[in-house]
Amino acid sequence: MPHTSAAHTPPAEPPPATAQPAVFTAPRHQVSITTVTLNDQGRVLLVRDPWQAPEWTLPTAALEAGESVRQAAVRCVRERAALPVEPDRITGAYKALAPAHLNLTWIAAPATDRPARHGALWVPTHEALELLRADDADHAPTGRPPLAQRLLDAHAPFGTHMRLHRPRPPAAHTAHGVPAPGAHRPPAR
C-alpha cells in the first residue's frame, strides 16, 4: 500500500456556498395609530382627511420604524392638528382582514388649552359619530363604521377592545355595499 503524506494530499475543495443573498421582505402587518382626543367639555377632536377631503376623521398615522406606539399617538395629533396631547391608554386593537392591517387606538387629553389649527374641529361626541359615519369602507362586526366604533370604544369606562373589521368591498360594489349589476356576489355567511 503506497504511503501518502499530508504534504502530497491535494487541497480540499471549498464547501459550496449555501448562504443566500439578503432579500427584503415586507412586514406581515401594517400598523397605524388613531388618537381619540377629548377635551374638558367632552368634545372630540376631528381633523380633515387630506386624502378624502372634505371628510372629517380621527387623527391617524402609520407607526414609523423605531417609534413607540405612545410616541405615534402624540405625533399623529401634533401633525394633523398642531396640538400636543397626553395619551392615557390604548382603548382598542382593530384588525382588518385584507390588507393585513392592525390599528391601535389611544384616548388622550390635550396638553394645552390653546386651540387646534385650522382644519381641526372640536365637536360633541354625538356629532362626531354622525360625521364619522361617512367612513363606510368596511365595518366592524357591530355593523358600525370603524372610526365610529373606535370612538365609542374609547368612551367605554374600562378595558381594551379587540375587534375585527370586514375587508373593503370589491370595486364592483356600489357605495352602499350592494353588488353592482353583473358583479360576483360573495356567499352568505
Side-chain angles (χ1 to χ4, degrees):
M1 179 163 198
H3 181 288
T4 59
S5 70
H8 298 315
T9 307
E13 292 287 324
T18 57
Q20 298 294 322
V23 176
F24 174 77
T25 56
R28 291 188 179 271
H29 289 87
Q30 297 172 353
V31 179
S32 66
I33 306 297
T34 298
T35 305
V36 175
T37 306
L38 299 174
N39 67 12
D40 291 339
Q41 293 82 34
R43 292 178 176 260
V44 179
L45 178 70
L46 297 182
V47 294
R48 289 270 187 205
D49 188 337
W51 299 280
Q52 296 179 353
E55 300 297 328
W56 291 98
T57 188
L58 295 169
T60 302
L63 183 66
E64 294 180 351
E67 182 178 46
S68 75
V69 292
R70 184 181 195 86
Q71 290 168 331
V74 170
R75 179 179 53 82
C76 75
V77 178
R78 185 183 65 239
E79 287 179 353
R80 303 291 297 279
L83 188 69
V85 295
E86 281 296 322
D88 180 32
R89 62 185 168 88
I90 293 177
T91 60
Y94 306 90
K95 171 96 171 71
L97 293 174
H101 181 239
L102 176 68
N103 174 273
L104 299 174
T105 298
W106 284 79
I107 190 164
T112 181
D113 58 356
R114 75 173 189 211
R117 75 167 159 210
H118 181 71
L121 179 68
W122 290 101
V123 297
T125 301
H126 68 279
E127 286 182 31
L129 288 169
E130 287 303 315
L131 290 169
L132 295 175
R133 291 198 195 285
D135 172 34
D136 63 357
D138 54 12
H139 291 279
T142 61
R144 294 185 189 93
L147 291 176
Q149 185 63 59
R150 291 174 198 166
L151 177 55
L152 289 172
D153 289 347
H155 276 288
F158 57 88
T160 300
H161 302 272
M162 300 190 74
R163 300 193 191 274
L164 181 66
H165 293 298
R166 294 188 185 123
R168 234 175 244 279
H173 285 63
T174 65
H176 301 290
V178 178
H184 171 71
R185 179 173 256 155
R189 293 183 196 195

PDB file of all heavy atoms in Angstrom, residues 161-183:
ATOM      1  N   HIS A 161     -60.638  47.056  23.816  1.00  0.00           N
ATOM      2  CA  HIS A 161     -61.496  46.306  22.908  1.00  0.00           C
ATOM      3  C   HIS A 161     -60.659  45.735  21.774  1.00  0.00           C
ATOM      4  O   HIS A 161     -59.751  46.394  21.278  1.00  0.00           O
ATOM      5  CB  HIS A 161     -62.591  47.211  22.358  1.00  0.00           C
ATOM      6  CG  HIS A 161     -63.426  47.805  23.444  1.00  0.00           C
ATOM      7  ND1 HIS A 161     -64.525  47.170  23.943  1.00  0.00           N
ATOM      8  CD2 HIS A 161     -63.294  48.943  24.153  1.00  0.00           C
ATOM      9  CE1 HIS A 161     -65.053  47.908  24.913  1.00  0.00           C
ATOM     10  NE2 HIS A 161     -64.312  48.985  25.060  1.00  0.00           N
ATOM     11  N   MET A 162     -60.973  44.524  21.377  1.00  0.00           N
ATOM     12  CA  MET A 162     -60.302  43.901  20.239  1.00  0.00           C
ATOM     13  C   MET A 162     -61.388  43.538  19.245  1.00  0.00           C
ATOM     14  O   MET A 162     -62.316  42.808  19.571  1.00  0.00           O
ATOM     15  CB  MET A 162     -59.508  42.685  20.686  1.00  0.00           C
ATOM     16  CG  MET A 162     -58.452  43.066  21.711  1.00  0.00           C
ATOM     17  SD  MET A 162     -57.304  41.771  22.083  1.00  0.00           S
ATOM     18  CE  MET A 162     -56.320  41.786  20.627  1.00  0.00           C
ATOM     19  N   ARG A 163     -61.265  44.088  18.042  1.00  0.00           N
ATOM     20  CA  ARG A 163     -62.302  43.869  17.036  1.00  0.00           C
ATOM     21  C   ARG A 163     -61.665  43.561  15.690  1.00  0.00           C
ATOM     22  O   ARG A 163     -60.562  43.977  15.394  1.00  0.00           O
ATOM     23  CB  ARG A 163     -63.181  45.094  16.904  1.00  0.00           C
ATOM     24  CG  ARG A 163     -63.886  45.448  18.213  1.00  0.00           C
ATOM     25  CD  ARG A 163     -64.975  46.457  17.977  1.00  0.00           C
ATOM     26  NE  ARG A 163     -65.487  46.994  19.210  1.00  0.00           N
ATOM     27  CZ  ARG A 163     -66.449  46.448  19.941  1.00  0.00           C
ATOM     28  NH1 ARG A 163     -67.004  45.325  19.552  1.00  0.00           N
ATOM     29  NH2 ARG A 163     -66.861  47.026  21.044  1.00  0.00           N
ATOM     30  N   LEU A 164     -62.433  42.858  14.882  1.00  0.00           N
ATOM     31  CA  LEU A 164     -62.026  42.501  13.531  1.00  0.00           C
ATOM     32  C   LEU A 164     -62.927  43.252  12.567  1.00  0.00           C
ATOM     33  O   LEU A 164     -64.150  43.221  12.716  1.00  0.00           O
ATOM     34  CB  LEU A 164     -62.187  40.990  13.336  1.00  0.00           C
ATOM     35  CG  LEU A 164     -61.787  40.417  12.007  1.00  0.00           C
ATOM     36  CD1 LEU A 164     -60.279  40.557  11.813  1.00  0.00           C
ATOM     37  CD2 LEU A 164     -62.170  38.944  11.951  1.00  0.00           C
ATOM     38  N   HIS A 165     -62.342  43.947  11.605  1.00  0.00           N
ATOM     39  CA  HIS A 165     -63.120  44.657  10.588  1.00  0.00           C
ATOM     40  C   HIS A 165     -63.221  43.788   9.353  1.00  0.00           C
ATOM     41  O   HIS A 165     -62.283  43.083   9.002  1.00  0.00           O
ATOM     42  CB  HIS A 165     -62.465  45.985  10.215  1.00  0.00           C
ATOM     43  CG  HIS A 165     -62.462  46.980  11.315  1.00  0.00           C
ATOM     44  ND1 HIS A 165     -63.621  47.476  11.869  1.00  0.00           N
ATOM     45  CD2 HIS A 165     -61.454  47.580  11.966  1.00  0.00           C
ATOM     46  CE1 HIS A 165     -63.314  48.345  12.807  1.00  0.00           C
ATOM     47  NE2 HIS A 165     -62.002  48.422  12.903  1.00  0.00           N
ATOM     48  N   ARG A 166     -64.343  43.873   8.689  1.00  0.00           N
ATOM     49  CA  ARG A 166     -64.517  43.156   7.424  1.00  0.00           C
ATOM     50  C   ARG A 166     -63.696  43.866   6.358  1.00  0.00           C
ATOM     51  O   ARG A 166     -63.498  45.063   6.416  1.00  0.00           O
ATOM     52  CB  ARG A 166     -65.984  43.141   7.040  1.00  0.00           C
ATOM     53  CG  ARG A 166     -66.801  42.331   7.999  1.00  0.00           C
ATOM     54  CD  ARG A 166     -68.213  42.186   7.484  1.00  0.00           C
ATOM     55  NE  ARG A 166     -68.991  41.511   8.498  1.00  0.00           N
ATOM     56  CZ  ARG A 166     -70.090  42.002   9.039  1.00  0.00           C
ATOM     57  NH1 ARG A 166     -70.573  43.144   8.629  1.00  0.00           N
ATOM     58  NH2 ARG A 166     -70.731  41.331   9.967  1.00  0.00           N
ATOM     59  N   PRO A 167     -63.257  43.102   5.355  1.00  0.00           N
ATOM     60  CA  PRO A 167     -62.464  43.744   4.294  1.00  0.00           C
ATOM     61  C   PRO A 167     -63.313  44.696   3.470  1.00  0.00           C
ATOM     62  O   PRO A 167     -64.535  44.594   3.440  1.00  0.00           O
ATOM     63  CB  PRO A 167     -61.980  42.568   3.458  1.00  0.00           C
ATOM     64  CG  PRO A 167     -62.962  41.484   3.726  1.00  0.00           C
ATOM     65  CD  PRO A 167     -63.441  41.683   5.136  1.00  0.00           C
ATOM     66  N   ARG A 168     -62.637  45.599   2.795  1.00  0.00           N
ATOM     67  CA  ARG A 168     -63.269  46.541   1.888  1.00  0.00           C
ATOM     68  C   ARG A 168     -64.018  45.775   0.802  1.00  0.00           C
ATOM     69  O   ARG A 168     -63.500  44.802   0.275  1.00  0.00           O
ATOM     70  CB  ARG A 168     -62.168  47.340   1.221  1.00  0.00           C
ATOM     71  CG  ARG A 168     -62.303  48.781   1.333  1.00  0.00           C
ATOM     72  CD  ARG A 168     -61.063  49.418   0.725  1.00  0.00           C
ATOM     73  NE  ARG A 168     -60.324  50.117   1.727  1.00  0.00           N
ATOM     74  CZ  ARG A 168     -60.633  51.320   2.148  1.00  0.00           C
ATOM     75  NH1 ARG A 168     -61.641  51.956   1.636  1.00  0.00           N
ATOM     76  NH2 ARG A 168     -59.941  51.900   3.078  1.00  0.00           N
ATOM     77  N   PRO A 169     -65.230  46.228   0.421  1.00  0.00           N
ATOM     78  CA  PRO A 169     -65.913  45.537  -0.659  1.00  0.00           C
ATOM     79  C   PRO A 169     -65.177  45.755  -1.973  1.00  0.00           C
ATOM     80  O   PRO A 169     -64.507  46.771  -2.149  1.00  0.00           O
ATOM     81  CB  PRO A 169     -67.303  46.183  -0.687  1.00  0.00           C
ATOM     82  CG  PRO A 169     -67.149  47.474   0.016  1.00  0.00           C
ATOM     83  CD  PRO A 169     -65.999  47.319   0.972  1.00  0.00           C
ATOM     84  N   PRO A 170     -65.291  44.795  -2.908  1.00  0.00           N
ATOM     85  CA  PRO A 170     -64.633  44.969  -4.206  1.00  0.00           C
ATOM     86  C   PRO A 170     -65.163  46.208  -4.917  1.00  0.00           C
ATOM     87  O   PRO A 170     -66.256  46.682  -4.633  1.00  0.00           O
ATOM     88  CB  PRO A 170     -64.998  43.700  -4.977  1.00  0.00           C
ATOM     89  CG  PRO A 170     -65.537  42.754  -3.973  1.00  0.00           C
ATOM     90  CD  PRO A 170     -65.979  43.534  -2.780  1.00  0.00           C
ATOM     91  N   ALA A 171     -64.402  46.689  -5.875  1.00  0.00           N
ATOM     92  CA  ALA A 171     -64.783  47.891  -6.608  1.00  0.00           C
ATOM     93  C   ALA A 171     -66.105  47.726  -7.342  1.00  0.00           C
ATOM     94  O   ALA A 171     -66.753  48.702  -7.687  1.00  0.00           O
ATOM     95  CB  ALA A 171     -63.676  48.264  -7.583  1.00  0.00           C
ATOM     96  N   ALA A 172     -66.522  46.497  -7.590  1.00  0.00           N
ATOM     97  CA  ALA A 172     -67.764  46.254  -8.314  1.00  0.00           C
ATOM     98  C   ALA A 172     -68.990  46.562  -7.466  1.00  0.00           C
ATOM     99  O   ALA A 172     -70.102  46.531  -7.953  1.00  0.00           O
ATOM    100  CB  ALA A 172     -67.822  44.801  -8.781  1.00  0.00           C
ATOM    101  N   HIS A 173     -68.802  46.875  -6.178  1.00  0.00           N
ATOM    102  CA  HIS A 173     -69.920  47.195  -5.306  1.00  0.00           C
ATOM    103  C   HIS A 173     -70.225  48.686  -5.369  1.00  0.00           C
ATOM    104  O   HIS A 173     -69.345  49.495  -5.595  1.00  0.00           O
ATOM    105  CB  HIS A 173     -69.615  46.795  -3.859  1.00  0.00           C
ATOM    106  CG  HIS A 173     -69.693  45.324  -3.628  1.00  0.00           C
ATOM    107  ND1 HIS A 173     -68.857  44.440  -4.246  1.00  0.00           N
ATOM    108  CD2 HIS A 173     -70.533  44.596  -2.871  1.00  0.00           C
ATOM    109  CE1 HIS A 173     -69.160  43.212  -3.867  1.00  0.00           C
ATOM    110  NE2 HIS A 173     -70.177  43.281  -3.027  1.00  0.00           N
ATOM    111  N   THR A 174     -71.458  49.025  -5.141  1.00  0.00           N
ATOM    112  CA  THR A 174     -71.836  50.430  -5.101  1.00  0.00           C
ATOM    113  C   THR A 174     -71.427  51.011  -3.762  1.00  0.00           C
ATOM    114  O   THR A 174     -70.953  50.305  -2.885  1.00  0.00           O
ATOM    115  CB  THR A 174     -73.362  50.582  -5.288  1.00  0.00           C
ATOM    116  OG1 THR A 174     -74.008  49.989  -4.165  1.00  0.00           O
ATOM    117  CG2 THR A 174     -73.824  49.954  -6.588  1.00  0.00           C
ATOM    118  N   ALA A 175     -71.663  52.294  -3.573  1.00  0.00           N
ATOM    119  CA  ALA A 175     -71.267  52.976  -2.339  1.00  0.00           C
ATOM    120  C   ALA A 175     -71.945  52.392  -1.114  1.00  0.00           C
ATOM    121  O   ALA A 175     -71.439  52.484  -0.018  1.00  0.00           O
ATOM    122  CB  ALA A 175     -71.588  54.468  -2.443  1.00  0.00           C
ATOM    123  N   HIS A 176     -73.102  51.766  -1.277  1.00  0.00           N
ATOM    124  CA  HIS A 176     -73.820  51.228  -0.130  1.00  0.00           C
ATOM    125  C   HIS A 176     -73.540  49.751   0.110  1.00  0.00           C
ATOM    126  O   HIS A 176     -74.203  49.112   0.908  1.00  0.00           O
ATOM    127  CB  HIS A 176     -75.330  51.436  -0.303  1.00  0.00           C
ATOM    128  CG  HIS A 176     -75.676  52.879  -0.450  1.00  0.00           C
ATOM    129  ND1 HIS A 176     -75.569  53.779   0.589  1.00  0.00           N
ATOM    130  CD2 HIS A 176     -76.067  53.602  -1.528  1.00  0.00           C
ATOM    131  CE1 HIS A 176     -75.915  54.977   0.165  1.00  0.00           C
ATOM    132  NE2 HIS A 176     -76.208  54.902  -1.108  1.00  0.00           N
ATOM    133  N   GLY A 177     -72.546  49.191  -0.600  1.00  0.00           N
ATOM    134  CA  GLY A 177     -72.177  47.798  -0.384  1.00  0.00           C
ATOM    135  C   GLY A 177     -73.037  46.812  -1.149  1.00  0.00           C
ATOM    136  O   GLY A 177     -72.908  45.609  -0.992  1.00  0.00           O
ATOM    137  N   VAL A 178     -73.933  47.301  -2.008  1.00  0.00           N
ATOM    138  CA  VAL A 178     -74.791  46.427  -2.800  1.00  0.00           C
ATOM    139  C   VAL A 178     -74.052  46.089  -4.077  1.00  0.00           C
ATOM    140  O   VAL A 178     -73.502  46.976  -4.736  1.00  0.00           O
ATOM    141  CB  VAL A 178     -76.125  47.147  -3.130  1.00  0.00           C
ATOM    142  CG1 VAL A 178     -77.001  46.279  -3.994  1.00  0.00           C
ATOM    143  CG2 VAL A 178     -76.821  47.549  -1.852  1.00  0.00           C
ATOM    144  N   PRO A 179     -74.023  44.800  -4.455  1.00  0.00           N
ATOM    145  CA  PRO A 179     -73.303  44.454  -5.678  1.00  0.00           C
ATOM    146  C   PRO A 179     -73.877  45.176  -6.887  1.00  0.00           C
ATOM    147  O   PRO A 179     -75.082  45.324  -7.027  1.00  0.00           O
ATOM    148  CB  PRO A 179     -73.508  42.943  -5.808  1.00  0.00           C
ATOM    149  CG  PRO A 179     -73.840  42.494  -4.426  1.00  0.00           C
ATOM    150  CD  PRO A 179     -74.561  43.631  -3.784  1.00  0.00           C
ATOM    151  N   ALA A 180     -72.989  45.671  -7.726  1.00  0.00           N
ATOM    152  CA  ALA A 180     -73.403  46.296  -8.968  1.00  0.00           C
ATOM    153  C   ALA A 180     -73.937  45.210  -9.892  1.00  0.00           C
ATOM    154  O   ALA A 180     -73.608  44.031  -9.731  1.00  0.00           O
ATOM    155  CB  ALA A 180     -72.212  47.014  -9.595  1.00  0.00           C
ATOM    156  N   PRO A 181     -74.772  45.563 -10.850  1.00  0.00           N
ATOM    157  CA  PRO A 181     -75.298  44.551 -11.778  1.00  0.00           C
ATOM    158  C   PRO A 181     -74.166  43.766 -12.419  1.00  0.00           C
ATOM    159  O   PRO A 181     -73.198  44.329 -12.901  1.00  0.00           O
ATOM    160  CB  PRO A 181     -76.061  45.382 -12.815  1.00  0.00           C
ATOM    161  CG  PRO A 181     -76.391  46.664 -12.113  1.00  0.00           C
ATOM    162  CD  PRO A 181     -75.269  46.896 -11.144  1.00  0.00           C
ATOM    163  N   GLY A 182     -74.290  42.456 -12.407  1.00  0.00           N
ATOM    164  CA  GLY A 182     -73.291  41.577 -13.004  1.00  0.00           C
ATOM    165  C   GLY A 182     -72.090  41.309 -12.121  1.00  0.00           C
ATOM    166  O   GLY A 182     -71.200  40.569 -12.498  1.00  0.00           O
ATOM    167  N   ALA A 183     -72.020  41.897 -10.949  1.00  0.00           N
ATOM    168  CA  ALA A 183     -70.872  41.692 -10.052  1.00  0.00           C
ATOM    169  C   ALA A 183     -71.003  40.357  -9.341  1.00  0.00           C
ATOM    170  O   ALA A 183     -72.100  39.902  -9.066  1.00  0.00           O
ATOM    171  CB  ALA A 183     -70.781  42.820  -9.031  1.00  0.00           C
TER     172      ALA A 183
END
